[in-house]
């Protein structure tokens, strides 16, 4: 098991390095110059050169990439002086000469070009909004999807079953940003007088008289838009699993004993039918957080997606890189935890 965990951690680290390299080179092809954007149109060459040197943008691209990977890595080569120790806050493990040392530290995501705030602080400020949005979408998709899947299985081969299956196929096919636009226009604009829901809004709003308060209704539309695809998948999984379980011998035995339909479905069939559904749902949270980027932008939701897309518009390289690595690390961590649970439940996983 120890070797299995180390193997997964090593594979996850390689994935993060690949993500960092890919985003770094993709950022280089974006039109615009962050130095010129910061310096302004009337700046001279000396000012732009000073800004580029301060941001580390005067180095060749390979040097910039290696410097960034050295900063975000838990193990890095950094100056041993007081400024270096204060900047990275790490523990010196091994002096290597030249005033540098191998340092064990927390990943340093640098500072924003625009606000000069630490990127990690910016991400943590917006992480809560994305997390609540992903949790709400997952809860909505799971509860409604399982319910509709059970109905489709119990009404198999009827018009209701065919309608639910056709609608779920449509939900799987529609991209999240298209679903977001449709949900926003329909329920937040044209039908807003009937639904009472706003096109945009935040989880917390501040009133000048009552102060800061929770507004859960603002979470409903973005959660619905983000949860359309997983909801449709859960409907399909639940229906298929329920049909398989309902054809088993022990279900026929339970019915022959005179048990009510409710007890047969809930007490015997449902708990066995939900196993593949729970397996599928367990690894979706990180995917939903990554997929929330465009949903947040459509609904002007304060989250990682909004801050990342604005950073792309402003050529704020550290924020773009930090947000991408943050989401990728979360995705890798969730998958590693799921793999470990699978290995604990089924020894064949780690042996394979």
């Amino acid at each position: 098991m120890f070797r299995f965990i180390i193997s997964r951690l090593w594979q996850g680290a390689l994935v993060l390095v690949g993500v960092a390299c890919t985003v770094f080179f993709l950022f280089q092809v974006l039109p615009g110059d962050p130095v010129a954007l910061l310096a302004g149109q009337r700046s001279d060459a000396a000012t732009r050169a000073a800004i580029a040197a301060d941001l580390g943008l005067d180095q060749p691209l390979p040097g910039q990439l290696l410097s960034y990977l050295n900063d975000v890595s838990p193990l890095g080569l950094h100056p041993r002086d007081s400024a270096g120790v204060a900047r990275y806050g790490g523990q010196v493990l091994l002096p290597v000469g030249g005033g540098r040392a191998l340092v064990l530290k927390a990943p340093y995501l640098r500072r924003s070009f625009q606000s000069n705030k630490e990127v990690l602080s910016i991400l943590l400020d917006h992480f809560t909004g994305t997390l609540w949005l992903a949790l709400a979408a997952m809860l909505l998709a799971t509860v409604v999807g399982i319910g509709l899947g059970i109905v489709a299985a119990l009404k198999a081969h009827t018009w209701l079953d065919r309608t639910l299956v056709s609608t779920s196929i449509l939900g799987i096919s529609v991209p999240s940003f298209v679903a977001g636009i449709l949900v926003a226009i329909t329920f937040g604009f044209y039908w807003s007088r009937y639904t009472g829901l706003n096109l945009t809004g935040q989880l917390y709003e501040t009133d000048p008289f009552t102060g800061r308060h929770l507004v859960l209704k603002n979470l409903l539309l973005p959660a619905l838009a983000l949860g359309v695809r997983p909801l449709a998948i859960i409907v399909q999984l639940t229906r298929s699993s329920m049909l398989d379980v309902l054809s088993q011998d022990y279900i026929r035995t339970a019915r022959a004993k005179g048990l009510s339909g409710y007890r047969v479905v809930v007490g015997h069939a449902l708990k066995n039918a939900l196993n593949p559904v729970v397996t599928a749902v367990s690894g979706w949270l990180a995917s939903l957080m990554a997929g929330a980027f465009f949903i947040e932008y459509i609904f002007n939701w304060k989250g990682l997606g909004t801050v990342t897309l604005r950073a792309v518009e402003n050529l704020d390289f550290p924020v773009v890189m930090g947000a991408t690595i943050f989401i990728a690390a979360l995705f890798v961590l969730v998958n590693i935890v799921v793999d470990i649970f699978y290995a604990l439940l089924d020894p064949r996983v780690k042996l394979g």
Side-chain angles (χ1 to χ4, degrees), residues 287-349:
S287 299
L288 285 176
M289 293 186 66
F293 275 39
F294 289 104
I295 299 297
E296 291 177 6
Y297 192 78
I298 291 170
F299 291 94
N300 194 28
W301 186 264
K302 184 181 178 181
L304 292 177
T306 302
V307 73
T308 304
L309 293 176
R310 288 176 180 169
V312 172
E313 294 174 353
N314 295 322
L315 301 178
D316 198 342
F317 168 74
V319 176
V320 175
M321 288 290 291
T324 306
I325 293 175
F326 186 86
I327 289 293
L330 183 64
F331 193 93
V332 167
L333 180 62
V334 169
N335 279 276
I336 290 175
V337 171
V338 171
D339 286 344
I340 291 173
F341 277 119
Y342 285 169
L344 292 174
L345 296 175
D346 188 352
R348 294 175 297 178
V349 173

Side-chain angles (χ1 to χ4, degrees), residues 3 21 28-29 55 66 72 96 106 136-137 144 151 186 224-225 239 248 270 294 299 318-319:
R3 288 197 302 269
C21 294
Q28 307 308 316
V29 303
L55 300 178
L66 291 177
V72 300
V96 295
V144 178
V151 171
T186 303
L224 176 61
R239 177 186 180 275
Q248 299 297 318
L270 185 58
F294 289 104
F299 291 94
V319 176

